[in-house]
Amino acid sequence: MALDRTYRLVPGTTIFDADQAAKGYHLNQFCMSLMKAENRARFLADQRAYLDEWPLREEQKQALLDRDLNAAMREGGNIYFLAKWGAALGLSFQQMAGSMTGMTEQEYRDMMVGGGRSLEGNRIDHAVLDAAYADQAPPAEHAVITGAVFTSHVPAIGAALDHGKTEEPYWKPVFAGYDYAKQWEKDDLPDVVFLVYNDHATAFDSSIIPTFVLGTGAAYPTADEGYGPRPVPGIEGDPGLAAHIAHSLIQDDFDLTLVNEMPVDHGLTVPLSLMFGDVAKWPVKVIPFHVNVVQYPVPSGARCFKLGQALRKAIESYDRPLKVQVWGTGGMSHQLQGPRAGLINREWDNAFLDKLIEDPAGLAQVPHLEYVEQAGSEGIELVMWLIARGAMSDVDGSGQVEVKHRFYHVPASNTAVGHLVLENQPSLENHPRAVEPAEGVS
Ligand code: DHB
Ligand code: FE
């Protein structure tokens, strides 16, 4: 058992986890639609016809038509979502809960008045639980991290590519810095890129400010940031691996926000263009990972570095033989605002690259104030690079990294461009176990 899913052993109980959420995605979204009076009216007028408008499996539709909530839960429904459906039909929570127990409404009500259901006869089978813990061997095959790419994600680079300006004297040296990485990607194409970037007030505005967002969706459209969407392909996600990473990281106390639907902006698409060029379809699946570096408080370098380490454990415990790269984007020094706009600090940037390679744990201790003072207000994007660096195998001594390419150039628009390619050389015997049994649970 790779991850702790022992909650599945609680009798008479369905825990709504990432697998269930994926299974019930459209069913639950259908339920949400019933929060609008006009949709409720259409549903009640012809339930089958309204259900047919949704991309639901027949089992899901039938469960609702039969008012069989146990079946709806098996099909990925969650009680708080299904409650919207129940409410549209005039059912109370007590009626809905009682309908799943095999009791009549009156019997269930009487049981609750009598003090509720007893735990006796409703406990976990501890023999089964102990057997589950005993079966904690690492998976026979698993995903590996093959490398890390670090790069600026300046939107003007995307615009230069999209408008055929790559040969202009201003841009030519910038793109030349990426020739190595383009070939390196071709030579050992990963299956999935875990792409750390920041959304720039595109998918997330002042109405919601999540610190860490993991994209668990199947696909993400290219955002329109005001100039029209970039003429690049949309992104295909990897919901299976992303759900596994979500489970592992959250169990390791990284309280992520999971997002299934969001447009992705230049922070994500420009690095893809730099690595893969002008293509009709991106040659890899992408798991977007957004870090809030727009509104303070933003996460520390130390937190990002630790997250990277937990990310490696998550990826290496996924039981499919995928090749995964982790990319860190943004930076290097830049300030896009105020009288100090245009700040560039070559010395600090290059020291950052040196330390990123040789002493990432030390670099992780650098406080925000230093980034802002030395690298400019938007230079804070560089904390994201520590996530990708933390995911390399040399960090805990279990493997090594090799610097394949390093590049630095000023300017691209308002920034210094920095770029680094690290090959990860894990020692596979050392790959970490996914989870130890929780203390006190046995
Ligand atoms: C610029 C750089 C960025 O990282 C960004 O997100 C937006 C603009 C720039 O230099 O123009
Ligand atoms: Fe940026």
Side-chain angles (χ1 to χ4, degrees):
M1 192 167 62
L3 289 169
D4 190 349
R5 292 200 173 91
T6 39
Y7 49 67
R8 289 183 180 165
L9 301 177
V10 182
T13 304
T14 307
I15 296 296
F16 187 63
D17 62 7
D19 291 344
Q20 284 297 102
K23 195 172 178 188
Y25 189 74
H26 295 296
L27 173 59
N28 290 321
Q29 295 296 73
F30 148 80
C31 292
M32 295 305 286
S33 77
L34 299 178
M35 291 172 75
K36 287 206 171 95
E38 72 217 52
N39 290 342
R40 282 199 295 277
R42 287 205 302 118
F43 172 62
L44 292 173
D46 187 340
Q47 295 190 25
R48 166 55 81 172
Y50 188 81
L51 285 166
D52 283 343
E53 292 174 19
W54 290 80
L56 300 175
R57 290 186 297 282
E58 190 50 36
E59 294 86 336
Q60 294 177 317
K61 295 182 200 174
Q62 204 54 54
L64 295 180
L65 293 170
D66 294 344
R67 299 203 181 183
D68 181 348
L69 279 172
N70 281 318
M73 307 266 303
R74 264 195 311 277
E75 285 296 325
N78 167 273
I79 188 60
Y80 295 117
F81 292 81
L82 289 164
K84 308 298 192 277
W85 161 87
L89 295 170
L91 301 171
S92 70
F93 266 100
Q94 191 173 82
Q95 287 169 317
M96 286 187 267
S99 79
M100 291 184 262
T101 61
M103 300 168 117
T104 65
E105 203 179 315
Q106 192 57 46
E107 283 166 350
Y108 184 78
R109 203 181 137 72
D110 291 347
M111 179 188 75
M112 293 314 296
V113 170
R117 186 181 302 283
S118 164
L119 182 58
E120 286 315 313
N122 288 298
R123 293 180 198 274
I124 299 169
D125 181 337
H126 279 255
V128 178
L129 184 65
D130 291 346
Y133 279 134
D135 181 27
Q136 291 255 335
E141 33 175 41
H142 62 90
V144 289
I145 299 179
T146 53
V149 172
F150 305 84
T151 178
S152 309
H153 60 213
V154 189
I157 294 179
L161 280 160
D162 301 341
H163 298 112
K165 295 185 177 168
T166 55
E167 293 300 314
E168 291 183 1
Y170 180 94
W171 287 111
K172 210 172 155 111
V174 174
F175 290 105
Y178 288 85
D179 287 345
Y180 176 88
K182 274 169 108 168
Q183 190 57 46
W184 181 78
E185 290 291 357
K186 278 204 182 101
D187 291 345
D188 192 15
L189 195 65
D191 300 292
V192 183
V193 169
F194 187 95
L195 205 159
V196 182
Y197 74 112
N198 64 295
D199 177 84
H200 302 76
T202 302
F204 309 112
D205 55 28
S206 294
S207 64
I208 179 163
I209 300 132
T211 301
F212 293 119
V213 170
L214 177 67
T216 45
Y220 309 89
T222 310
D224 181 344
E225 298 176 58
Y227 305 102
R230 287 194 60 213
V232 293
I235 275 79
E236 187 188 347
D238 188 334
L241 175 57
H244 173 88
I245 291 171
H247 195 122
S248 184
L249 284 179
I250 293 171
Q251 270 181 358
D252 274 342
D253 298 330
F254 291 92
D255 304 317
L256 309 179
T257 299
L258 308 183
V259 171
N260 287 311
E261 292 177 20
M262 61 177 176
V264 286
D265 74 9
H266 67 268
L268 185 134
T269 64
V270 167
L272 285 172
S273 293
L274 281 168
M275 294 300 126
F276 301 124
D278 184 12
V279 289
K281 182 177 184 302
W282 300 121
V284 292
K285 292 181 176 178
V286 178
I287 297 179
F289 191 84
H290 155 73
V291 180
N292 166 43
V293 288
V294 172
Q295 180 178 323
Y296 281 64
V298 305
S300 67
R303 186 71 177 148
C304 290
F305 189 56
K306 282 197 191 121
L307 196 152
Q309 293 169 62
L311 175 65
R312 181 163 72 88
K313 175 175 151 191
I315 291 171
E316 289 182 349
S317 62
Y318 188 54
D319 62 358
R320 293 196 51 208
L322 299 178
K323 287 194 281 186
V324 182
Q325 286 180 5
V326 185
W327 294 5
T329 76
M332 293 200 81
S333 56
H334 62 306
Q335 174 145 347
L336 302 177
Q337 48 131 344
R340 210 169 168 255
L343 185 106
I344 296 291
N345 188 340
R346 282 174 182 268
E347 210 182 321
W348 191 90
D349 284 346
N350 279 290
F352 181 94
L353 288 168
D354 291 342
K355 268 196 124 179
L356 188 71
I357 294 165
E358 283 153 24
D359 180 21
L363 184 62
Q365 298 308 314
V366 170
H368 289 147
L369 188 62
E370 182 174 327
Y371 286 86
V372 178
E373 185 190 20
Q374 298 287 331
S377 48
E378 281 62 48
I380 192 66
E381 288 184 342
L382 284 167
V383 291
M384 297 188 286
W385 292 27
L386 284 159
I387 295 179
R389 186 64 182 92
M392 298 294 98
S393 302
D394 63 324
V395 169
D396 67 0
S398 69
Q400 293 177 341
V401 288
E402 190 180 323
V403 179
K404 302 302 275 187
H405 183 63
R406 175 173 170 163
F407 173 65
Y408 185 78
H409 174 84
V410 179
S413 187
N414 305 286
T415 79
V417 176
H419 171 44
L420 189 67
V421 177
L422 295 183
E423 190 171 278
N424 190 45
Q425 300 164 348
S427 166
L428 293 184
E429 310 85 69
N430 289 334
H431 102 81
R433 283 162 58 126
V435 67
E436 301 298 334
E439 261 176 50
V441 183
S442 70

